[in-house]
Amino acid sequence: MADMLSLPAVLSARVEAAAGVDPELRPATRPQFGHFQTNVALRLAKSEGRPPREVAAALVERIDLADLCEPLEIAGPGFINLRIRADVLARVAGEVLDDPRAGINLSSHPRHVVVDYSAPNAAKQMHVGHLRSTIIGDCFTRVLRATGHTVIPQNHIGDWGRQFGMMVEQLLDEGADASTLDLPSAEALYQRANSHLKESAEFADRARDRVVALQAGDPETRRIWQQIIDISLNGFNATYQRMNVLLTDGDVAGESIYNDDLPVVAADLEQRGIAVVDDGALVVFVDGYPAPAMIRNSQGGYGYDCTDLAAIRHRVSDLGADRLIYVVGSPQQFHFDLVFAVARKAGYLPDGVSAEFVGFGQVLGADGKKFSTREGTAVTLNSLLDAAEAEAAPSIALAAIKYADLSSGLQKDYAFDVERMVATTGDTGPYLQYAHARVTQILRKAEAEGHGAGPISVLAEPEEQTLALLLSRFGEVVDAVADTLQPHRLCGYLYELAGALSVFYERCPVLKSEGDVRASRLGLCLATKRVIARGLDLLGIEAPERM
Ligand code: ARG
C-alpha cells in the first residue's frame, strides 16, 4: 500500500468529485448501513432548496464507486450509505498481510528530526516528569523512524551550572572519592553541599570560585565533575534499560557541551543588535512577550535561555535538522515559545525548519492529587516502576505504564492508578498484549494442525469486514501520529482493532471452519497479530507470544 491513499480517503475523494463538497464520511452506525455514511445530500438540499432524497438520488447516479462499493443506498431522510465490496476488503487486508511494513507508509518528504527528550538532571534521580518525557519522546522516535524520517535523539541532560561547583567543593572537603558514589548518594551529596552553602559564607565563596574553575576547564575540577556525570549517566542508563527505551550514551548532549558557544551566541546577538544591554544584563525583547529572553545576566552568567539558543543553532547548522521537537513538561511552554521566537529573529531557525514544543501534563497520585511520597518529596521514577512490578511481570508492568502515559491527550494530567493500569481488560496496555498473545495462540494451534494462514479471500461476515477495514487503516493512523505527534490516536486505533478481533472470534469460528474460509480467517488473524505487534512496538511496548 506504500504511498497509496487509504480506502476511506479514496471513497471520500470520489464522493467529493461528484458532490463538489467534502462528504464528511463517517463510519456507519450499524452494520446494516454498510461501512460509511454521508449526509452530503442533506446539506446540499438545504442550500439548493430541493428535497434531500431527490438530491441523494441524483448524486448516487453520478458517484463513481462501482469498482470499490456495492450499489450505493439511500436511507432515511437522504443519507447515502457506502458498503465496500467484500473482494475489495479482502484485497486491502491481503496487502497488509503481504507487506513487510504492515501498511506503514514511508514519508514522501523525509526530514531530519531532532527529538529532545528525557533530559534528567545530573546528581538527581529521575522523577515522574522525566518518566513522561522519556516514554513520549521514545514513541516519537520510533514512529518517525518507521515512517522514513531520520531521527536524532538529543538527551539534553542538566550537567552544567553552579550546583556542580558546590558539589565538587563538598567532595574535596569530605575527602571523598567521587568514583565510589552511586546516583542516590550523589543526590545526598548535593543536599549536603546545599546546606553547607547556606550555613557557611566561606564555603559559598569557595563554591563560587569552583564554578569559575569548572568553566575555565581546570583539570582537577573537570575530572571530579566528570565523575559525577558518569555516576549520573550510569543511574540513568539503568533506568533506560529497565524502561526498554532506545536512548544511548551517543544521544547524550547535555548543557555542558554548549559552554564554549554561549559567549559566541551572546556576541553574535549583541553585534547584530538583536540583544540589548538592559540593567547590566544582555536580553532580547520579543513583541508579544511580557519578559525578555535572558542571554547573559548582570553577573556575566549564562543560563537556560542562552543554552537552548546555542542548542538550536547546533542542531540546525551542525546536525542538519529541519524539524525540532521538544518533549518537556507543560510549565516550560513559555520558555520554549520565547526561545523559538528569538531563534527565528536571529535566523538560527530559518524558514523551513519547524520547532515544536510538545508539552505534557502531570502524573498525579491514584487519588488524583499531587504525587509525592509520604515524606512529601517527589516520587522517583524507579519507585513507580517498582510499584507497577509489584502487581505484574516486568514487561506487563511496563506496558501498563507506557500505555497509560500515551493513551490520553498528552496535555492532560493522569492518575497513576496501578491497579487500573495493569488490568487485562479495558483500555490498557496489558489488554493489547493479551489480545496479541491470544491471536498468537490460535495461529500456533493452526500451525500444529497443519493449516496455513492466508490468502485472505472470503470475507462474507460483517465482523471479518470490519476487521479488514481496520487493518487497512493502520498506515494512515501512523502517518497521523508522525504529523500531529498525538500517540493517543495510535492507542485508540489499537484498542479498536483488539475489540474488533475479539468480536470476530466470537462470531466467526476460525479453527473449526474449513478450506478457503479457514485460510482466510487465519490470514486475518495473522495480519491483525502483525499490526498489533507493530503498533505496540511503536509505543515502545513488547508484544508477548504467550501471557
Ligand atoms: N533538564 C530539564 C528539566 O529537568 C529539561 C530540559 C529540556 N530540554 C531543553 N532543551 N531545555 O526540567
Side-chain angles (χ1 to χ4, degrees):
M1 284 275 290
D3 281 318
M4 252 179 66
L5 283 176
S6 72
L7 203 43
V10 174
L11 300 183
S12 175
R14 299 268 193 98
V15 179
E16 180 161 353
V21 295
D22 179 357
E24 298 173 16
L25 283 194
R26 298 272 175 272
T29 46
R30 295 215 195 117
Q32 61 262 38
F33 298 151
H35 299 114
F36 293 98
Q37 197 170 54
T38 168
N39 66 359
V40 69
L42 297 161
R43 283 184 276 128
L44 289 179
K46 211 173 206 173
S47 58
E48 292 167 14
R50 289 165 56 201
R53 284 191 69 100
E54 193 183 300
V55 175
L59 269 180
V60 163
E61 287 295 309
R62 292 211 311 274
I63 298 173
D64 172 23
L65 273 174
D67 56 334
L68 299 175
C69 293
E70 301 290 344
L72 303 182
E73 282 170 12
I74 300 168
F79 291 105
I80 300 174
N81 293 342
L82 285 70
R83 183 187 301 277
I84 302 165
R85 279 173 19 194
D87 61 311
V88 172
L89 288 168
R91 199 184 72 221
V92 292
E95 279 167 0
V96 174
L97 179 61
D98 295 338
D99 181 358
R101 310 180 48 80
I104 298 178
N105 304 308
L106 290 176
S107 169
S108 47
H109 302 285
R111 303 178 75 174
H112 279 71
V113 191
V114 159
V115 184
D116 181 314
Y117 72 104
S118 193
N121 300 313
K124 277 191 195 148
Q125 295 189 68
M126 295 173 74
H127 59 70
V128 302
H130 300 118
L131 170 88
R132 294 212 71 184
S133 176
T134 305
I135 292 172
I136 298 164
D138 196 57
C139 171
F140 292 169
T141 298
R142 290 166 189 264
V143 168
L144 291 165
R145 283 194 179 143
T147 46
H149 301 281
T150 303
V151 179
I152 311 158
Q154 293 281 282
N155 193 356
H156 191 90
I157 62 170
D159 62 356
W160 202 240
R162 309 164 56 86
Q163 66 275 31
F164 294 97
M166 94 188 170
M167 287 178 71
V168 170
E169 200 60 28
Q170 181 72 22
L171 264 175
L172 291 170
D173 269 22
E174 293 179 5
D177 177 359
S179 66
T180 63
L181 300 177
D182 61 7
L183 187 49
S185 55
E187 191 166 1
L189 171 78
Y190 170 87
Q191 270 140 14
R192 285 199 303 280
N194 208 16
S195 330
H196 199 171
L197 194 89
K198 283 181 190 140
E199 284 156 14
S200 159
E202 179 265 338
F203 180 77
D205 282 345
R206 281 194 281 129
R208 205 168 307 121
D209 292 346
R210 193 55 72 180
V211 178
V212 176
L214 178 64
Q215 282 169 345
D218 168 59
E220 174 68 356
T221 307
R222 278 290 181 122
R223 192 181 59 78
I224 301 173
W225 167 80
Q226 187 64 54
Q227 282 174 325
I228 299 173
I229 302 307
D230 290 345
I231 293 157
S232 306
L233 285 175
N234 282 341
F236 301 154
N237 281 332
T239 305
Y240 293 151
Q241 219 155 49
R242 214 178 155 188
M243 290 180 70
N244 189 24
V245 292
L246 305 169
L247 283 172
T248 67
D249 283 346
D251 305 321
V252 173
E255 296 179 352
S256 64
I257 68 168
Y258 304 106
N259 183 45
D260 295 342
D261 294 343
L262 303 176
V264 179
V265 167
D268 178 45
L269 294 175
E270 191 170 10
Q271 269 158 25
R272 291 195 286 141
I274 294 166
V276 294
V277 177
D278 187 65
D279 251 344
L282 186 67
V283 299
V284 180
F285 289 97
V286 181
D287 285 346
Y289 290 84
M294 179 66 66
I295 305 303
R296 191 180 57 223
N297 67 26
S298 51
Q299 273 110 57
Y302 303 97
Y304 202 50
D305 289 357
C306 192
T307 306
D308 265 318
L309 284 168
I312 289 177
R313 214 167 135 258
H314 169 65
R315 290 165 183 187
V316 175
S317 335
D318 305 331
L319 303 181
D322 56 10
R323 184 179 186 188
L324 306 180
I325 297 171
Y326 290 79
V327 188
V328 190
S330 294
Q332 294 195 33
Q333 167 105 51
F334 179 81
H335 162 73
F336 283 101
D337 285 350
L338 183 58
V339 164
F340 294 164
V342 173
R344 287 265 176 239
K345 216 171 159 175
Y348 299 161
L349 263 182
D351 292 347
V353 178
S354 56
E356 292 156 86
F357 172 78
V358 182
F360 52 80
Q362 275 184 299
V363 182
L364 304 170
D367 55 3
K369 299 205 183 107
K370 195 175 152 51
F371 209 176
S372 51
T373 61
R374 226 170 290 157
E375 294 75 38
T377 53
V379 178
T380 64
L381 200 154
N382 278 318
S383 70
L384 289 184
L385 295 174
D386 291 342
E389 286 185 10
E391 303 285 331
S395 126
I396 296 172
L398 203 53
I401 294 183
K402 289 188 178 180
Y403 192 84
D405 207 282
L406 296 170
S407 58
S408 43
L410 297 180
Q411 273 71 27
K412 286 188 208 153
D413 297 343
Y414 76 90
F416 197 88
D417 179 350
V418 175
E419 264 165 57
R420 189 193 61 79
M421 286 160 42
V422 301
T424 48
T425 53
D427 191 7
T428 68
Y431 167 68
L432 294 176
Q433 289 185 309
Y434 178 71
H436 180 266
R438 190 169 169 213
V439 72
T440 304
Q441 188 192 10
I442 292 178
L443 289 160
R444 203 185 300 126
K445 262 197 180 155
E447 205 183 320
E449 292 173 13
H451 306 310
I456 299 172
S457 58
V458 198
L459 296 182
E461 303 301 326
E463 296 79 15
E464 297 174 297
Q465 299 191 356
T466 303
L467 198 52
L469 187 57
L470 270 173
L471 289 172
S472 77
R473 281 187 37 216
F474 181 50
E476 108 202 9
V477 171
V478 176
D479 285 349
V481 178
D483 274 1
T484 63
L485 304 177
Q486 294 176 328
H488 75 267
R489 293 178 177 227
L490 177 56
C491 297
Y493 167 81
L494 292 173
Y495 182 57
E496 199 181 337
L497 182 64
L501 179 67
S502 94
V503 175
F504 159 78
Y505 291 144
E506 246 167 64
R507 309 273 166 77
C508 310
V510 178
L511 293 171
K512 290 204 180 93
S513 59
E514 309 224 322
D516 288 352
V517 172
R518 180 173 53 210
S520 186
R521 289 184 180 167
L522 284 169
L524 276 179
C525 286
L526 183 55
T528 308
K529 169 185 156 78
R530 291 199 185 137
V531 168
I532 294 178
R534 195 71 188 94
L536 285 176
D537 181 56
L538 295 178
L539 300 174
I541 296 175
E542 271 174 44
E545 298 281 301
R546 290 188 160 81
M547 228 168 123

